[in-house]
Amino acid sequence: MTGTEEGVKGERRQKLITGPGILLLWLYGVMVVGAVSRSAVQIATDFHKAPLAYSLSALAGLVYGFITYSLVRGGETARRAALVCCAAELVGVLAVGAWTLAEPSAFPDATVWSDFGMGYLFIPVILPVTAIFWLVRARRAAAA
């Protein structure tokens, strides 16, 4: 079956990691590792220094992890969940990015989303936009 697989109840799940979806999966996987490992070390060693920044990095890692899982899982429910998480991720990146520029003293240390993800080559702001586009396109392809 190209582009689909059997679900638990015999339903056909639309695969989300075909074509450009494979690149999204890889990028989200890298972001999971980067955000989770960074926040784990920061929380374990210097949490008192910047608790908000380190907690936001941990939250970003969890969001990236859920999106990665949803992309692998496939199906309409996973696609919708990933779409909601990507939208929330984009809002978070834009809010934290603007906040770090407007009031740098609020973040004594950077988060994954600081300065719109500048420390991560702006991938945190580009990735959700690309993923939203891909997930909407995947739904249209499944409906056709």
Side-chain angles (χ1 to χ4, degrees):
M1 284 181 276
T2 305
T4 61
E5 61 184 40
E6 290 292 322
V8 176
K9 298 178 185 176
E11 63 193 36
R12 294 174 65 121
R13 279 191 280 156
Q14 179 68 27
K15 290 180 79 174
L16 299 173
I17 54 171
T18 59
I22 295 171
L23 179 59
L24 282 175
L25 178 67
W26 273 93
L27 289 172
Y28 271 112
V30 167
M31 293 304 291
V32 168
V33 172
V36 169
S37 59
R38 173 187 181 149
S39 64
V41 168
Q42 291 172 324
I43 288 171
T45 59
D46 290 324
F47 186 71
H48 65 280
K49 182 178 169 187
L52 177 61
Y54 301 156
S55 297
L56 284 171
S57 288
L59 176 64
L62 292 174
V63 170
Y64 295 145
F66 186 79
I67 293 169
T68 302
Y69 169 76
S70 296
L71 290 172
V72 170
R73 173 96 173 111
E76 181 59 21
T77 302
R79 188 199 64 76
R80 277 185 270 158
L83 193 57
V84 168
C85 282
C86 287
E89 173 194 357
L90 181 59
V91 168
V93 171
L94 295 175
V96 172
W99 191 2
T100 56
L101 293 177
E103 190 178 339
S105 64
F107 295 91
D109 203 356
T111 74
V112 174
W113 295 341
S114 291
D115 303 319
F116 305 104
M118 186 168 59
Y120 286 80
L121 305 173
F122 297 103
I123 291 171
V125 77
I126 296 167
L127 197 54
V129 172
T130 307
I132 289 168
F133 174 75
W134 172 250
L135 291 166
V136 169
R137 187 171 180 262
R139 176 151 192 251
R140 288 185 188 144

